[in-house]
Amino acid sequence: MFVSKIRHIQALGARWSSSHYVTTPIFYVNAAPHIGHLYSAVIADAHCRYQRLRYPTTTVRLCTGTDEHGTKIQQAAAGHKVPVDQYCDEISARYRDVFKAASIAHDDFIRTTEQRHKQAVAHFWHRLKSRGHIYSAAYSGWYCVSDETFLTDSQLRLDESSGTRYSLESGHPVEWTEETNYMFRLSNFQDDVRHWVKQEARVRPAKFEKILLDTLSEPLPDVSVSRPANRVHWAIPVPNDDSQTVYVWLDALINYLSSLGYPNEEYLAYWPPAQQIIGKDILKFHGIYWPAFLLAAGLSPPQQLYVHSHWTVDGQKMSKSKHNVVDPVLAAKQYTMEGLRYFLLREGVAHSDGNFSHVKALRILNSELADTLGNLLSRACAKTLNPHQVYPASHVEHLPQLLQDLDAAKRLQEALLQLAGRCEQHYECNHFHLVADTVIATLHAANNFFECAKPWELKANGKTPDAQRLQTIIAMTMDALRLCGIVLQPMMPQLTSRLLDKLNVPSSERSWHHLNASFATGKQHNHQLDNQWSALLFQRIVEHQDKSTQEEQQQSSPSQSSKRSKTKKDQKAAKTIS
Ligand code: MSP
């Protein structure tokens, strides 16, 4: 408890600075975006939206983009028989479109093929070279095009029957490569990088800090930072040596600087990044190479790396060959994009892999967004209970009465009093699943209160005690909806905006400190609802059985039919989203 308080205070302390720079990885343009890619971006977006809500005077900046150089991209374009620049334009645009559809509010979308980035890479290279950290050498090793990296023997699996070696990380084959390269003196930075990793909350969750420290407990070999241009031509040329191109990972990492205008001094307003969000597969590049490159160039490494695990689909790694890659655009057709965002943040935990299953998505979205949140709004706005369509004030004599009569009213009051504090603690650590847990528990308390208060037994008209008690019940319910709506804004910006619009909450009253105002703290609202907006927030997702399933069911016994229909439904779902 004490430790978690201290951590919380430290987290708040980090916000004293007036800028907060957050990055996602830049995405390879060798294939279209899938939900795993969207996940990195949604975490970053929800994190930044929370920062803006909680610390309105801090300038938050979110950068994302696409990683467009290297053999992997060269080969993908050739495979599609499209000129490589055109191929990059097309896939990069798909990322941009998906992010727009998913309300990723980035301040910059950088592409590594842009001139501003190439200039930053050239400058950074000069810095490394002039400070003596780069030398030329003959190099040989196993190169994995899919991972875009040389791998050591311990990172490989040998298939005895074919004699082919594969990357343990990605499962893709490697090729033996002998060439002259420029090398970076990574070995000189072993101690500095270890020191950086060990700082409090540098790498989160802590299990990834441990992985880095394990790697750092062995001597680090120097790393190749260029490839011969005749092998990798789709890349940035090494300054003053056209026979070599810059290694794609060095090129890619520098995007975090070029987005800020580096080397122009304006970049200093945001440097170093407050948080860099990455998937677990690219930990070594961000947790070892990147701080070493930065230290070598005389720049500060990031304040925090936030590492997330991966999504599997029905327990399997997503891959084109398994035909189980979940396309966010198709998935959003079933779940809505806000529903998809909610599912990813609600079900994903950073420290271990999450499983994307259609059955689970339906269950969560229907029970939490439709039945718990949406249904409560519909009930509080129903014309029978709320004929004048108002967000009423509670009445002074009825509020204490309800709190005294009903345990459920007291529990709701208690939940609302704790909502901001608890959710703040969870958001500070990117524990979105715990934010959702807290909000859903509060909404359960609100639903339970509504049921126990039995507003439908009270007459709505006039200024009778009945009508006043009814208004107080609706006021308390709408307060719960409003507060939960404010808290959920970073996770579902569009859906919560519709909720708060319907409740007619002015935009100026939707920030974090407005969580203090509710019946629980003696604050009142009293205004009309906005009837331009529907009270239907999230439509229950209903699966229509196809004809063949119905026929099959009619022919089989009841117990068989229910089992069989479930299997068919699951198969149908997997097809629709793959
Ligand atoms: N281009 C590099 C990153 C360079 S950053 C300087 C890259 N690109 S990627 O497109 O392969 O991956 C981008 C992000 O998507 C990574 O954070 C990666 O972990 C994430 N994901 C890729 N597959 C994923 C899942 N199945 N699940 C969750 N995230 C996944 O790596």
Side-chain angles (χ1 to χ4, degrees), residues 124 128 139 143 147-152 155 183-187 189 193 196-197 212 215-216 220-225 247-251 253-254 282-297 301-302 305:
F124 196 89
L128 296 184
Y139 190 75
Y143 195 82
D147 302 4
E148 288 287 17
T149 186
F150 282 103
L151 295 170
T152 59
Q155 296 169 311
M183 304 293 293
F184 171 75
R185 294 186 200 282
L186 183 62
S187 46
F189 292 90
V193 172
W196 172 79
V197 169
L212 285 177
T215 308
L216 286 160
L220 288 176
D222 288 351
V223 53
S224 153
V225 284
Y247 173 44
V248 63
W249 265 103
L250 176 57
D251 163 352
L253 287 162
I254 295 168
I282 53 177
L283 178 61
K284 175 185 72 181
F285 301 100
H286 286 82
I288 294 180
Y289 293 2
W290 181 223
F293 290 151
L294 286 169
L295 290 166
L305 286 184

Side-chain angles (χ1 to χ4, degrees), residues 25-28 34 36-37 40 67 249 252-253 255-256 278-279 281-282 286 308-311 318:
I26 47 169
F27 301 90
Y28 282 132
H34 61 54
H37 303 126
S40 289
D67 187 354
W249 265 103
L253 287 162
N255 94 85
Y256 302 131
I278 58 165
D281 54 322
I282 53 177
H286 286 82
H308 66 77
S309 299
H310 277 186
W311 283 96
M318 261 188 279

Side-chain angles (χ1 to χ4, degrees), residues 62 234 295 301 313 382 431 461 475 544 566 572:
L62 171 58
W234 184 244
L295 290 166
V313 172
H431 289 160
N461 290 326
H544 300 290
K566 194 166 172 221
K572 189 175 154 206

